[in-house]
Amino acid sequence: MSKSWVNVAERLGSDLHLELGGTGSRRAALGRALRGAIQDGRLAPGTLLPPYRSLAADLGIARNTVAATYSELVAEGWLTARRGSGTRVAERTAPVARPRVPTKPSTGTAAPVHNLLQGQPDTSSFPRRAWMGSTRRALTAAPNSAFGPGDPQGRIELRTALADYLARVRGVRTGPECIVICAGFSDALRLLFCGGVLRGPLAVEAYGLAFHRALLAADGVRTVPLGLDEHGSRTTELADHRAVRSVLLTPAHQFPLGGPLDPARRHAAVEWARGRGGVVIEDDYDGEFRYDREPIGAVQALDPDHVLYVGSASKSLSTAVRLGWMVLPERLIDPVLAVKGRRERWTGVVDQLTFADLISSGAYDRHVRQMRQRYRDRRNRLAAALAEHAPHIEPAGIAAGLHAVLRLPPGTEASTVKAAAWQGIALDGLAAYRHPDAAPVFDGLVVGYAAPTDHAFAAALAALCQILPPAP
């Protein structure tokens, strides 16, 4: 027979009604009862729960059962446990739907309280004044022909500015004649594979964006994962896949685990492409943002004939600026342009001219330097918060980029992601990025520290630290 109520007035100030009936173990029944009491408001945020021994005695169950249930609810975000202050109902918001997941588009549901998703820069930092100034200058200088039928390769002004910028900042060896303007990295993938310029199977890193794999799979392109360790992708494994002619890498800052590709492995990938008659696709998604290391040049400089370099403005400016660029081997330029030929796939002329002026005037360099300092400060604040509140949680991949991977105790990733959703924190677990045919490396969270505005970042860090699992 279940016990339906317990008097915990000495600790709570009121009677607590708990229904422990139903099927399953006593631990499962207690968990259901406590969650229900929190959900319907009978246990308000901040309420102090009785100690293990008291609740176990009142309910007639084992003390270890109560302790295990409390620990489970702490991991899920329902409760908090702090030394010296007991176990309390967590301060929380209603669970929110995440604004996007790696493989599905947004459904337009409520925004999170704290946005710690990777891949999103601080939208409040978009250089509006500089962009408007560049737009005025670009429109004033543009010839009338710029607003007529155009070139699918992109405006010469932007390709010229990019050739100079990429050579100076990333060590890319190219001229404007080898650059094709596109709408971002995903558009580049579509042009290359969905248009038949390159054919699958495509070798990819064991961890990467599921959205990109889904985009390719929808067009019948199979992806083959390469092993991954602290030195980056194991590119020597390329020789084991006889049907593969292309490999996609993030060599400057492996996504999402972080860290540069080892020099020997960079050379191994290029040598494989030469010997196989294939290409390396270099995704330089956040190459401008490095903090604690020397700049690492593009792999493309090792062999422009066998490395295809892709970049975009999505991290440095905004995901809303649909501007990207491919630096192509000469033999691929005409096939790509043939696929891109329909005008609907062209990027807007005004944005191209504006971005060209932003680069040529030096405003883009100034903006990147400013944001590099701001994101470095965010990274440092994240590391300091972890050191103070969760020293057992190890951040990885923080020498560059706009996100960190937090290494969690084994077996805690799923419950921590669930706890984050309950607290209104939008972030991803590391498993969301693993190729389905690859072995897992460890439990972790992928935490983007760029998206929150400056005034909201402290609260986001506090909320994050609250849902992290305790030391094992």
Side-chain angles (χ1 to χ4, degrees), residues 57-74:
D58 285 338
L59 293 175
I61 59 179
R63 178 184 175 187
N64 287 345
T65 299
V66 178
T69 304
Y70 278 13
S71 295
E72 180 180 344
L73 268 63
V74 167

Side-chain angles (χ1 to χ4, degrees), residues 357-374:
D357 182 87
L358 199 73
I359 295 171
S360 300
S361 68
Y364 185 61
D365 280 86
R366 291 191 292 273
H367 173 72
V368 168
R369 286 196 298 270
Q370 180 184 25
M371 297 312 299
R372 186 184 299 137
Q373 182 57 47
R374 180 171 297 181

Side-chain angles (χ1 to χ4, degrees), residues 37-38 40-49 78 88-92:
I38 294 170
D40 64 21
R42 288 185 293 117
L43 285 179
T47 299
L48 178 66
L49 297 187
W78 299 90
R88 296 178 181 270
V89 177
E91 299 290 340
R92 68 195 187 281

Side-chain angles (χ1 to χ4, degrees), residues 173-200:
R173 295 163 53 195
T174 190
E177 70 281 358
C178 292
I179 295 177
V180 173
I181 304 302
C182 59
F185 185 78
S186 296
D187 188 40
L189 277 185
R190 291 188 183 98
L191 289 169
L192 291 169
F193 286 94
C194 303
V197 177
L198 301 177
R199 301 188 181 278

